[in-house]
């Protein structure tokens, strides 16, 4: 029960605002020093190298990593990268030294910078496995990863910020309708797929990576893009349990 309540809280809460002014945050964020994180393992406190998450509060990919870090009890410093202000802080030369693709999230951990949300979560799972986010059985892991990829490869890239900006600014299209149509097409398949895998959650009765990926996508779909949740009873049931 504690995990479920914590997970739900982490899904809906906005990351804390920086104590710095917004005008100085963009230039100073790259110079700030990380905090020492403490990792609990084998009943011992072990001091870890600083952990920094470059993130944007509305980015579903960043959201996934925040949920995974918090579920695993990993302390980190939150460094906001605003994707809209100042022409998009992710496009700055300073940030592209951190992530050449100019995307969020990026995670500095164990002396290195990792990019792309699912590889980051897989790394956390492999290096900090005490609170698992994947099943033990290889077949079950493949199923969970398939659910992740239905969203990660088949829905999110077609309705992310850069695509919506192109639809609106270059194609003179309705970006909200485009996003809604893309999400509904993806959810049509996902709804059928998880009908055979779900228990309380996407895969059985334990929270997995699949739930971490679904939650931000579903919240955005239902609250921002106007997708009718009643059309997707399986997805909605999982969200109710989270």
């Amino acid at each position: 029960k504690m995990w479920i309540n914590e997970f739900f809280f982490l899904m809906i809460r906005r990351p804390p605002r920086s104590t710095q002014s917004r005008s100085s945050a963009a230039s100073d964020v790259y110079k700030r020093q990380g905090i020492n994180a403490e990792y609990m393992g084998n009943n011992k406190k072990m001091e870890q190298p600083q952990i920094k998450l470059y993130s944007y509060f509305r980015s579903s990919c960043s959201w996934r990593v925040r949920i995974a870090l918090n579920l695993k009890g990993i302390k980190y410093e939150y460094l906001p990268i605003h994707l809209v202000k100042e022409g998009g802080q992710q496009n700055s030369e300073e940030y592209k030294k951190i992530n050449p693709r100019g995307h969020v999230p990026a995670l500095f951990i164990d002396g290195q910078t990792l990019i792309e949300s699912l590889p980051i979560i897989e790394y956390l799972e492999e290096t900090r496995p005490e609170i698992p986010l994947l099943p033990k059985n290889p077949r079950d892991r493949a199923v969970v990863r398939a659910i992740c990829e239905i969203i990660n490869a088949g829905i999110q890239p077609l309705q992310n910020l850069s695509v919506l900006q192109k639809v609106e600014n270059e194609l003179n299209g309705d970006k909200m309708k485009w996003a809604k149509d893309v999400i509904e097409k993806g959810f049509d398949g996902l709804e059928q797929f998880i009908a055979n895998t779900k228990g309380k959650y996407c895969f059985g009765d334990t929270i997995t990576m699949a739930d971490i990926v679904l939650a931000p996508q579903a919240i955005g779909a239902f609250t921002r893009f106007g997708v009718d949740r009643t059309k997707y009873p399986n997805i909605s049931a999982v969200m109710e349990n989270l």
Side-chain angles (χ1 to χ4, degrees):
K1 269 294 184 186
M2 181 179 66
W3 281 18
I4 299 169
N5 293 336
E6 179 187 13
F7 185 76
F8 180 77
F9 173 74
L10 293 170
M11 286 196 300
I12 64 173
R13 79 183 180 105
R14 178 171 174 164
R17 292 182 180 271
S18 171
T19 55
Q20 297 173 295
S21 68
R22 284 301 187 186
S23 60
S24 65
S27 59
D28 292 348
V29 69
Y30 312 99
K31 302 173 184 177
R32 292 168 60 192
Q33 295 299 313
I35 58 174
N36 287 327
E38 289 182 334
Y39 175 67
M40 297 297 293
N42 299 322
N43 297 319
K44 292 181 179 179
K45 263 186 184 178
M46 300 173 62
E47 192 173 287
Q48 295 286 12
Q50 58 189 12
I51 299 174
K52 302 178 184 180
L53 176 64
Y54 300 85
S55 177
Y56 178 57
F57 76 95
R58 191 179 284 170
S59 161
S60 62
C61 295
S62 298
W63 211 342
R64 300 167 188 173
V65 176
R66 293 200 304 270
I67 294 170
L69 286 166
N70 283 283
L71 281 178
K72 285 182 171 289
I74 301 169
K75 293 183 179 180
Y76 61 95
E77 182 181 9
Y78 180 89
L79 302 179
I81 304 297
H82 204 293
L83 302 189
V84 180
K85 288 185 178 180
E86 302 171 13
Q89 294 171 357
Q90 75 278 14
N91 298 318
S92 70
E93 290 303 315
E94 287 179 293
Y95 184 67
K96 285 190 174 180
K97 292 176 184 177
I98 296 165
N99 183 353
R101 295 197 66 221
H103 290 179
V104 291
L107 184 70
F108 180 79
I109 187 170
D110 299 337
Q112 62 191 335
T113 300
L114 305 177
I115 64 173
E116 302 296 334
S117 62
L118 293 193
I120 289 172
I121 296 172
E122 293 269 6
Y123 179 86
L124 296 176
E125 182 72 358
E126 292 176 6
T127 60
R128 293 151 174 85
E130 284 74 11
I131 299 176
L133 300 175
L134 284 170
K136 292 183 178 180
N137 181 282
R139 178 198 169 279
D140 294 345
R141 286 177 175 240
V143 172
V144 168
R145 288 177 171 127
I147 296 171
C148 293
E149 287 302 328
I150 290 173
I151 299 169
N152 185 62
I155 302 177
Q156 192 278 334
L158 299 174
Q159 51 95 113
N160 68 10
L161 178 62
S162 61
V163 172
L164 296 185
Q165 288 174 333
K166 190 174 188 70
V167 168
E168 182 177 47
N169 299 330
E170 297 184 27
L171 303 178
N172 296 317
D174 185 336
K175 66 179 183 180
M176 300 301 284
K177 183 180 185 302
W178 169 273
K180 183 173 182 287
D181 290 348
V182 164
I183 295 169
E184 288 179 338
K185 184 176 180 181
F187 273 15
D188 288 345
L190 179 61
E191 174 74 10
Q192 295 181 47
F193 190 88
I194 68 171
N196 299 314
T197 67
K198 79 174 187 70
K200 291 176 65 178
Y201 308 114
C202 284
F203 187 82
D205 294 330
T206 302
I207 290 173
T208 65
M209 275 180 60
D211 304 292
I212 290 174
V213 175
L214 172 65
Q217 185 68 60
I219 290 174
F222 297 148
T223 64
R224 184 182 178 199
F225 295 113
V227 173
D228 182 1
R229 66 184 303 157
T230 64
K231 292 172 57 178
Y232 305 103
N234 292 319
I235 293 173
S236 295
V238 170
M239 291 301 296
E240 288 294 328
N241 288 327
L242 291 172

